[in-house]
Amino acid sequence: MAQATGTGHRIAPEHTHPDDVPVLAALAALADPVRMKLVRELSGSLGWTRSCGSFDVPVGKAALSHHFAVLRGTGLIEQRDVGPKRVNRLRREEFDARFPGLLALVLSPDPRDR
Amino acid sequence: MAQATGTGHRIAPEHTHPDDVPVLAALAALADPVRMKLVRELSGSLGWTRSCGSFDVPVGKAALSHHFAVLRGTGLIEQRDVGPKRVNRLRREEFDARFPGLLALVLSPDPRDR
């Protein structure tokens, strides 16, 4: 019951399809250590299983919300409200089709990562 | 004569090989409209034919110098002093080997570019 009520009080997130994203915006979205970590963690989870609060990143709630909005606005993730939780999936296929190889670069383990 | 003298007064630029560049730094270097334009213009010119002052970008001298330093520090360009001029080449092969497909994404014409 509480879950159903919770859903009604939130504005559904707006999405941008990767096809509508300029390459500059896609690069800028991924060129951030927190967003890169979110994308990497998300890639290791089944779609719609990770809520926004379940990621291990060293930022506050407002900053985290901003990072998710950037990922959504550049076609990297899709979000859905399930009761009080907002859950996520990586738009891997669509993003790969638009930017071949880019996600692979970000997701491959990099010994030079700091 | 003036050319030869000019060379002696400058500190040769330091370079970073693409193999030593983290993916985050490579993305950040390319996720900038001025640097993207420099890379695109450079890709259309023969190596060592373009001096730093020959690019059509809307920034001052200090900012331009910073942008070139970022490109050099992320293995995207190589620079050499020839008399009073600093000339450039895109390290396309080395960068491609380290980050397959990334330069191709940046260099392909993008109707969504603003």
Side-chain angles (χ1 to χ4, degrees), chain A residues 53-73:
Chain A
S54 73
F55 294 85
D56 180 25
V57 285
V59 293
K61 214 169 167 177
L64 188 61
S65 172
H66 164 73
H67 287 306
F68 275 112
V70 171
L71 294 177
R72 213 171 57 222

Side-chain angles (χ1 to χ4, degrees), chain B residues 3 10 13 21 25 31 49 54 66 73 78 82 93 106 108 112:
Chain B
Q3 278 202 336
R10 302 187 73 177
V21 175
T49 61
S54 73
H66 163 73
E78 204 173 349
V82 179
E93 291 73 20
V106 169
S108 58
R112 298 157 203 86

Side-chain angles (χ1 to χ4, degrees), chain A residues 30-45 55 71 76-77 89-93 95-96 99-111 113, chain B residues 22-24 27 98-100 102:
Chain A
L30 291 167
D32 175 277
V34 171
R35 291 195 291 271
M36 190 175 276
K37 194 160 194 296
L38 294 175
V39 166
R40 283 175 171 174
E41 277 202 35
L42 205 46
S43 78
S45 310
F55 294 85
L71 294 177
L76 276 155
I77 64 166
R89 83 164 183 98
L90 190 63
R91 305 181 76 163
R92 196 190 290 240
E93 291 73 18
F95 196 85
D96 273 345
F99 301 109
L102 186 51
L103 263 183
L105 283 178
V106 169
L107 297 179
S108 58
D110 184 354
D113 274 356
Chain B
V23 64
L24 187 63
L27 294 173
R98 166 75 179 100
F99 301 109
L102 186 51

Side-chain angles (χ1 to χ4, degrees), chain B residues 73-93:
Chain B
T74 49
L76 276 156
I77 63 165
E78 204 173 349
Q79 297 189 306
R80 186 189 282 177
D81 289 334
V82 179
K85 289 192 173 177
R86 180 158 287 184
V87 291
N88 300 274
R89 84 162 183 98
L90 190 62
R91 304 181 76 164
R92 196 190 289 242
E93 291 73 20

